[in-house]
Amino acid sequence: MLKSLSRDVTRIAFAESLPEVKNAFTQSLNRLGFVSYNISVNKSSTSEFMEKPTLTTWTTKQLDTYVDDKWHQRDPLMEHLHQNRTPLLWHLTTWDTSNNQDYCEYIRFQGIMGGLTLSLPALNGKASAITLLSIDPTPQSPDVIPEVTILSSVAVARLAAFKEGQFTEYDLRRFELLSDLQVEILSWMAKGKTNNEISSIVGRTERAIAYHVSEILAKLDVTSRAQAAAFYAAMGHSD
């Protein structure tokens, strides 16, 4: 997993134009089994996710139809994002209920078999999220969640860099500041492991792991686990 993730992160992080960012991001999500996506960053409300997406593979006609038919008022994915920030990995059968029958028919008509809806970091009072769609009848593995989180984090950072008129590149020399234990902990973070899980793996207390995670973020000059994992992937590690 990490070898492919490393390659994808590097391509997104060092893209030199917005089309390159979109192309690299799209290919990375295609590799994970998703055929389309809609990513919206720092929106005032969930209704803006489909009205004014930051980056999308949907056509203008598809977006207009979604808005004109007022799907944002009855879309269970938007309801989920409005209520909580936990990832939602879903399959067509998830919506085959009396409460969501119209939505089930809507996505079945388009050939959609499943997807992932994921909240992303946002400015205070704003909301960010990505929704991905799949046409594969086989349910997606939860293993895609940390990969999508990392890839989305890198894509959002790269998009922000272009918006601000500057490039954001990883200072890879910061990696040398980490101890051997911290590198190992970071490798498990990149695999989506929790502090509790890492604690059992490396034989340290959960409190010690929390301390080292904090140190890792500070040394790499990042603010989240996803960004730290993206940094690790950008280093080319695939173990």
Side-chain angles (χ1 to χ4, degrees):
M1 177 190 86
L2 284 179
K3 185 175 182 179
S4 297
L5 179 61
S6 173
R7 181 178 62 250
D8 290 340
V9 165
T10 300
R11 291 181 59 230
I12 297 171
F14 294 100
E16 297 183 355
S17 68
L18 290 176
E20 282 190 24
V21 173
K22 183 175 182 179
N23 183 58
F25 188 51
T26 300
Q27 288 187 13
S28 69
L29 297 179
N30 289 163
R31 175 181 63 81
L32 296 176
F34 298 104
V35 296
S36 66
Y37 63 87
N38 193 80
I39 185 169
S40 295
V41 182
N42 294 324
K43 301 300 180 180
S44 298
S45 66
T46 54
S47 64
E48 292 185 3
F49 285 172
M50 302 302 291
E51 294 174 356
K52 303 174 183 177
T54 305
L55 192 66
T56 184
T57 55
W58 283 38
T59 65
T60 300
K61 182 179 180 180
Q62 288 174 320
L63 291 171
D64 287 345
T65 298
Y66 181 95
V67 174
D68 292 342
D69 290 347
K70 296 181 172 53
W71 272 107
H72 69 277
Q73 298 177 3
R74 48 201 174 109
D75 187 337
L77 301 180
M78 296 301 104
E79 181 180 355
H80 174 82
L81 289 171
H82 182 71
Q83 293 179 348
N84 63 75
R85 295 178 58 83
T86 59
L88 176 63
L89 189 63
W90 54 272
H91 188 263
L92 177 64
T93 55
T94 304
W95 313 120
D96 195 8
T97 64
S98 57
N99 291 337
N100 297 297
Q101 196 61 48
D102 57 343
Y103 185 73
C104 184
E105 291 301 322
Y106 169 68
I107 58 176
R108 179 185 283 118
F109 178 76
Q110 299 180 70
I112 302 303
M113 298 302 297
L116 170 64
T117 296
L118 183 72
S119 291
L120 299 173
L123 298 176
N124 188 34
K126 301 290 186 177
S128 299
I130 183 171
T131 290
L132 309 98
L133 303 176
S134 170
I135 58 175
D136 190 338
T138 303
Q140 286 276 2
S141 165
D143 291 341
V144 303
I145 296 176
E147 287 200 69
V148 171
T149 301
I150 292 170
L151 293 168
S152 299
S153 175
V154 177
V156 168
R158 201 60 176 146
L159 291 170
F162 283 114
K163 183 177 180 180
E164 296 166 5
Q166 62 182 8
F167 291 101
T168 300
E169 296 184 356
Y170 296 106
D171 183 354
L172 303 184
R173 293 170 297 180
R174 286 185 168 274
F175 191 79
E176 299 175 0
L177 300 176
L178 303 181
S179 68
D180 291 343
L181 175 60
Q182 289 169 349
V183 170
E184 182 181 2
I185 291 173
L186 179 56
S187 73
W188 291 113
M189 290 168 60
K191 293 183 176 71
K193 300 296 184 182
T194 65
N195 284 2
N196 180 264
E197 291 172 327
I198 297 173
S199 170
S200 299
I201 293 170
V202 303
R204 300 295 180 94
T205 66
E206 188 171 352
R207 183 174 181 179
I209 299 302
Y211 166 78
H212 283 294
V213 168
S214 178
E215 284 288 291
I216 290 169
L217 299 185
K219 290 179 179 180
L220 298 184
D221 193 26
V222 296
T223 58
S224 70
R225 296 172 76 96
Q227 290 175 340
F231 195 117
Y232 182 80
M235 289 294 298
H237 290 282
S238 59
D239 57 331

